[in-house]
Each structure stands twice: as structure tokens, then as C-alpha cells.
Amino acid sequence: MRRSEALSPGEQEAVMREYDAALHNERPPRLVLIGESGVGKSTTVNALFNAGQPVGHTHATTDHAYAIPVELTGSRGLLEVVDMPGIGDDEANYHRYLDLYRRVLPTADAIVWVHAAEDRSVQLVQQALRDVFGQAEPELAGRLVLALNKADEIDPHDWNLSANLPSARQLEALRARAADFTEKISRTLPFWQGEAITYSAKQHYNLTALFKQMMRAVPQQRRWVLEKRMDLADFTAKVDQKLLRAASARMLAEVRPLAAVGAAAAVAKSTPVVTSTPVAVEKPPGVESAPVAPPVHVAGPRHAAAGAGTGARLSDAFAALSEAKWRELCQDRERFLEFTRRLEKESGR
């Protein structure tokens, strides 16, 4: 707008003021969270938006539906959450809750149905969705997100706490669970085109996938409003910090052997290859700008094999560092690179 030659400076400023006013006055995104009691609706809001919602454990946090204007931490703006009562807490409340849903859901930008990943009791969910959406416009079902929370609690209950990731068996179970849940809901609501997302609000796991599904559900002209409020909980905060350092070190060590393999494959095996292209690597936690590896000098495929030992040595060395020493290295790029060069030199002896 400021570079436009069609408007005078005064007209440009007037348009920009109107634009800023429109942003400021745009109503906040409205999310309706529904699901059975105790599945972690409030925890989910906290993990996605840093909203500071009260979380209930012994008793249900909510016993009636109410809209909560929440001022999010970090100046992300307001988010309106309609925290619905947990369906399934008492059959005497079922029809009263259905009437409530039918009134409230059409006002939502996105409808997030939270269900426990390990809970295979889908019949009540199917019945409620059929009763609520069966007579509604198909467009309303497009705003529905199926969120399978508590991925960390799924059988065989062997979540990797150090890496903050599901075990291989849990990951297989989660994939099967998401596919099964999606298929059953699709049979109930054929016009629903989404997919169930497994995540853990408590462990901050797979929140990006959940938020992406929410963005898909929100009407297109309102997506930017929801995106501005996003403040996902930090997944790596629950990862063992020594493991993070070791992973960063291994990545730094392995990127050069990988480049060597690619260069060697481009020529005959007996022909030496030299490349001087710097290789950028992903920055380790805490490093403001990622280190750039020095030029790669490739003498043949054997270089890749040598890199395996280097990677292991770097991983062990970084994992053994104290937190203070790690931060000290991260604050000085040259010292960081010198540290890795010295280890590489020692491993090559």
C-alpha cells in the first residue's frame, strides 16, 4: 500500500488506519469444545493457546455451557471458548445438552470434539453427532474437528519420556486408532471430510497437526483470526535436554557425510570429488543462527563411513556437557565450531 502510486501519501495513511481498525475490531475466533467429561478439553485449550484455563481432575471443570473471553498471554489477542458440558456424564442430561449444542454450534468458527484416544466406545459419539448434525446444513459439519487426546496413555502404556514420543508400538496403535475413528464417524456423517487427530495436550505432542486440522475447519475468511491467536506449548520442553543436545550434535556431524555420498555418486567411484559449497545445518536448541559447516572435501565414499564414528563421538560429547557449558558454546558461534572441529580431529586419529 505504501508503495502504491495510485494513492497520495494522505490517502495511503487513511487506508492503513482503516486496515488497522478492521484488524482491531474483528471479533475473536469462537471455538466450541465438546466431548465427554474428563477428556482434557481445558488442557487442550491451554496447550494450543496458552490460555490459562482452569483444569479439573477430581470433578468436572464445567457443569454448564458458557462463553469465556480469554486474554491470551503474549499479546495474542482474545479467544472466545465455549466450554460445553461433558456429554455422557448422565443420561438424564443428554437431551438437554443436545438442545444446547444445536443452539451454540452454528455460532462457532470451529467445533472441536475431544475424545480419549484409548477409549474405543464410539457409539455415544456417533449417536450425538447424528442427533446434532443430522438435520443441520452440511457446512456446519465442515467445522467439526475430531481430536483424540491422551495419546501418551494408549496401550501398551510405554511412552518414551526422554524423547517425549510414543513408543513404536504406541505409534502403531495411534495410527490404527485414528483410522478406525475416522472411518466410523465418516459412516455416521458421510458429508464430513476431515480426519481424526491423535495428540497429547499434557505432553504437548502433535499439537501442530491438531491446529492444522482446526485451521482447515474454520471458514476461510476467518482463518487468519485463529492463526493470530496460536501459541502452541513447547514440545521440546518435555524432552530430555541432554538428548536434544546429542541429537543436534549428531545432525551437525552427519550432514557432511551425507553431502559426501551425494557428491561421490555423481562421478565414477575411482574419481576424487572436491566440493566447496558450505552446508547449512539445523540450529541446535539455543543457537540464534545455525552454524554453517566448513567446506566439504570429499575423497571418496569412505568419508561417509568415517562420519559415523564422528557422529557418535559428537553425540556423546554434547550429551555429557553441563547445561552451563552448553549455553556458553551456543552463545559463541566460533567456539561452537571449534569444539566440533577438535572432536572431529580427535576421532580421526
Side-chain angles (χ1 to χ4, degrees):
M1 177 60 65
R2 297 190 187 282
R3 291 195 299 268
S4 172
E5 297 179 357
L7 300 176
S8 67
E11 290 172 328
Q12 292 175 9
E13 290 300 324
V15 171
M16 292 302 297
R17 283 196 300 271
E18 292 178 8
Y19 175 77
D20 290 339
L23 289 179
H24 179 75
N25 295 327
E26 182 75 23
R27 66 180 177 84
R30 189 173 224 235
L31 301 180
V32 172
L33 275 75
I34 55 181
E36 299 176 15
S37 180
V39 294
K41 292 178 289 182
S42 297
T43 309
T44 297
V45 173
N46 291 345
L48 292 173
F49 302 102
N50 192 15
Q53 281 257 70
V55 177
H57 297 286
T58 306
H59 303 288
T61 303
T62 57
D63 58 5
H64 62 284
Y66 55 96
I68 316 169
V70 181
E71 187 171 353
L72 304 182
T73 304
S75 302
R76 299 293 175 91
L78 295 178
L79 175 76
E80 192 174 66
V81 176
V82 183
D83 196 354
M84 304 292 278
I87 193 168
D89 61 346
D90 190 333
E91 64 177 357
N93 293 326
Y94 182 75
H95 290 288
R96 181 169 66 89
Y97 288 168
L98 284 183
D99 291 339
L100 192 60
Y101 295 158
R102 289 170 181 148
R103 292 198 309 270
V104 173
L105 296 192
T107 70
D109 286 305
I111 304 158
V112 184
W113 189 296
V114 185
H115 191 80
E118 194 172 37
D119 184 1
R120 293 186 169 275
S121 302
V122 186
Q123 182 180 359
L124 180 60
V125 179
Q126 291 174 307
Q127 179 184 346
L129 289 174
R130 186 182 296 110
D131 291 343
V132 172
F133 292 95
Q135 304 300 319
E137 293 292 331
E139 184 274 335
L140 184 62
R143 299 183 225 168
L144 175 65
V145 176
L146 294 180
L148 301 179
N149 192 17
K150 302 186 179 182
D152 54 305
E153 297 180 12
I154 200 166
D155 190 67
H157 310 290
D158 53 352
W159 186 265
N160 187 330
L161 291 175
S162 295
N164 193 27
L165 290 170
S167 68
R169 292 186 299 171
Q170 279 186 311
L171 185 59
E172 182 179 350
L174 289 170
R175 287 171 175 166
R177 186 74 188 99
D180 178 71
F181 200 90
T182 299
E183 190 274 330
K184 289 178 178 176
I185 299 305
S186 295
R187 280 195 280 110
T188 302
L189 298 177
F191 41 83
W192 178 68
Q193 300 298 316
E195 61 177 326
I197 301 296
T198 57
Y199 73 104
S200 173
K202 184 180 74 172
Q203 296 301 130
H204 309 164
Y205 169 73
N206 216 25
L207 296 178
T208 301
L210 175 58
F211 194 84
K212 181 179 178 180
Q213 196 72 358
M214 291 170 63
M215 287 287 289
R216 179 202 61 79
V218 172
Q220 187 169 359
Q221 68 273 18
R222 294 274 296 163
R223 288 174 184 169
W224 68 270
V225 185
L226 180 66
E227 187 176 22
K228 282 192 66 176
R229 272 68 175 181
M230 181 180 68
D231 190 5
L232 303 186
D234 183 9
F235 165 80
T236 63
K238 292 181 176 287
V239 177
D240 184 278
Q241 295 305 298
K242 287 188 176 181
L243 187 63
L244 279 179
R245 293 199 293 269
S248 300
R250 181 172 290 278
M251 187 179 299
L252 182 65
E254 289 179 353
V255 69
R256 275 176 271 181
L258 286 174
V261 171
V267 296
K269 292 182 180 179
S270 60
T271 305
V273 177
V274 178
T275 174
S276 59
T277 304
V279 180
V281 300
E282 183 176 325
K283 68 177 183 178
V287 180
E288 290 301 320
S289 59
V292 176
V296 181
H297 299 286
V298 182
R302 289 185 305 168
H303 186 85
T310 303
R313 187 178 183 86
L314 277 172
S315 295
D316 293 342
F318 274 79
L321 287 175
S322 67
E323 189 67 27
K325 184 64 176 179
W326 170 256
R327 292 183 180 279
E328 182 181 320
L329 283 178
C330 288
Q331 290 170 2
D332 190 323
R333 179 176 177 276
E334 289 304 318
R335 292 183 65 182
F336 188 95
L337 291 177
E338 178 58 32
F339 183 83
T340 60
R341 292 190 195 103
R342 177 168 55 81
L343 287 172
E344 289 175 340
K345 183 178 180 180
E346 291 174 357
S347 65
R349 291 174 181 171

